[in-house]
Amino acid sequence: MRIVVLAGGIGGARFLRGLKSAVPDADITVIGNTGDDIHLFGLKVCPDLDTVMYTLGGGIHEEQGWGRAGETFAVKEELAAYGVGPEWFGLGDRDFATHIVRTQMISAGYPLSAVTEALCDRWKPGVRLLPMSDDRVETHVLIDDPEGEGGRRAVHFQEYWVRLRARVPARAIVPVGAEQAKPAPGVLEAIAAADVILFPPSNPVVSVGTILAVPGVREAVAGAAAPVVGLSPIVGDAPVRGMADKVLAAVGVESTAGAVARHYGADLLDGWLVDTVDAEQTAGVTAAGIRCRAVPLMMTDTEATARMAAEALALAEEVRA
Ligand code: GDP
Ligand code: CA
């Protein structure tokens, strides 16, 4: 079975671990979000690709959900001693090595997709990990600023999320560069050849939404022969983790499992899973033309996550029949 998953960072990576456990023999291609990428200290950092790679490769800091296990911060301390920031982005020593290798290969002329493949040679995530694009796409967030043009100012997504902790309202989300970006080699081919396409419980706006913003990807998913099934990242009207509600508000979508399904729409989604606490929302999703079921959606451990993945695959089979 060929499965394609459009993934962000933590939610995507944890789901993938469960999916691999549910169907160990499946051929899984992950199309990763690169809109969160940021250049720091002259290095190219790809937080979502690395979260997937470290999680599936056994190098993740489990409790935190991102970054390396057993991390130390000597480089960060030394940079701070020079007064060189930003200090709000936590890069550990082990993690630095990944960004150095990536940046070195990119400077030598390799596209991000080839670099990601090379990094995965070490981590062996057991999936084919493709960046959504080899071209630079950077998600920016418009926030209020009386001194900014039109009373607004654009900040990099990481500055909004990590430094500002999404405490101020997001007025708009702009995937800068997306319009000119091309899907990375293999992305459209994988979607066309898929037996099932899954949207994990990743952020619908700044993770899955950004991948879909790369010209050709949304059309390929909508036109794919394979059923498309998603799992809600919103449980009980709030994100399970993180601040997805802030970016959903910026695109005018309520933070409910049903509203997220309708935001994707029946032209993309064939099936949608909501958590059992949101069972009353299945009717509204079904009315929108998306087959919907309520099952437990908390990724408390690999077994629970594997059951979620199995439910998603079962729903896909039902849609196909
Ligand atoms: P990020 O790039 O690290 O923010 O990760 P993703 O975009 O892949 O996923 C973030 C989303 O995962 C958030 O909106 C969370 O609500 C969601 N999430 C995290 N843990 C769980 C869980 O156990 N169950 C569900 N249903 N969603 C979760
Ligand atoms: Ca992310």
Side-chain angles (χ1 to χ4, degrees), residues 42-308:
L43 300 175
K44 183 174 175 69
V45 180
C46 301
D48 286 1
L49 294 180
D50 288 350
T51 296
V52 170
M53 186 172 79
Y54 294 156
T55 301
L56 300 184
I60 200 77
H61 186 303
E62 284 294 339
E63 295 70 41
Q64 196 169 252
W66 53 272
R68 291 287 309 279
E71 193 56 287
T72 53
F73 292 90
V75 174
K76 189 175 193 233
E77 283 159 24
E78 290 297 313
L79 287 165
Y82 284 111
V84 173
E87 282 184 46
W88 49 265
F89 202 85
L91 288 182
D93 300 330
R94 292 169 191 275
D95 202 18
F96 257 114
T98 303
H99 312 315
I100 290 169
V101 174
R102 173 184 292 123
T103 307
Q104 182 166 285
M105 284 190 72
I106 285 184
S107 310
Y110 290 96
L112 182 62
S113 48
V115 176
T116 305
E117 196 181 335
L119 294 171
C120 285
D121 273 347
R122 170 183 174 194
W123 290 101
K124 306 209 172 357
V127 299
R128 184 163 170 241
L129 177 59
L130 302 175
M132 64 188 198
S133 177
D134 280 334
D135 302 318
R136 184 164 169 171
V137 177
E138 243 178 47
T139 304
H140 287 191
V141 180
L142 280 187
I143 59 171
D144 294 331
D145 180 357
E147 271 150 42
E149 204 184 308
R152 298 268 161 93
R153 178 164 67 96
V155 295
H156 189 287
F157 171 73
Q158 297 296 352
E159 185 175 355
Y160 181 73
W161 204 252
V162 182
R163 187 174 79 81
L164 300 172
R165 300 194 180 282
R167 281 201 190 103
V168 297
R171 301 302 183 188
I173 311 293
V174 189
V176 178
E179 274 172 34
Q180 293 79 40
K182 289 178 298 299
V187 166
L188 297 183
E189 293 80 352
I191 294 171
D195 297 311
V196 180
I197 299 170
L198 299 177
F199 293 0
S202 280
N203 190 305
V205 182
V206 294
S207 292
V208 181
T210 309
I211 301 170
L212 293 169
V214 176
V217 174
R218 172 181 291 273
E219 296 74 9
V221 171
V228 182
V229 171
L231 300 94
S232 179
I234 304 291
V235 172
D237 299 346
V240 177
R241 199 190 150 112
M243 305 150 280
D245 47 330
K246 299 296 172 60
V247 291
L248 279 166
V251 297
V253 177
E254 255 182 30
S255 284
T256 67
V260 172
R262 289 187 292 274
H263 169 64
Y264 283 130
D267 51 335
L268 278 179
L269 284 180
D270 299 303
W272 184 247
L273 293 178
V274 301
D275 189 86
T276 43
V277 302
D278 297 314
E280 85 285 353
Q281 307 220 3
T282 54
V285 176
T286 307
I290 301 162
R291 193 179 285 246
C292 187
R293 182 171 301 153
V295 299
L297 287 190
M298 295 303 285
M299 300 189 282
T300 42
D301 53 36
T302 304
E303 290 67 43
T305 313
R307 283 194 292 275
M308 285 167 55

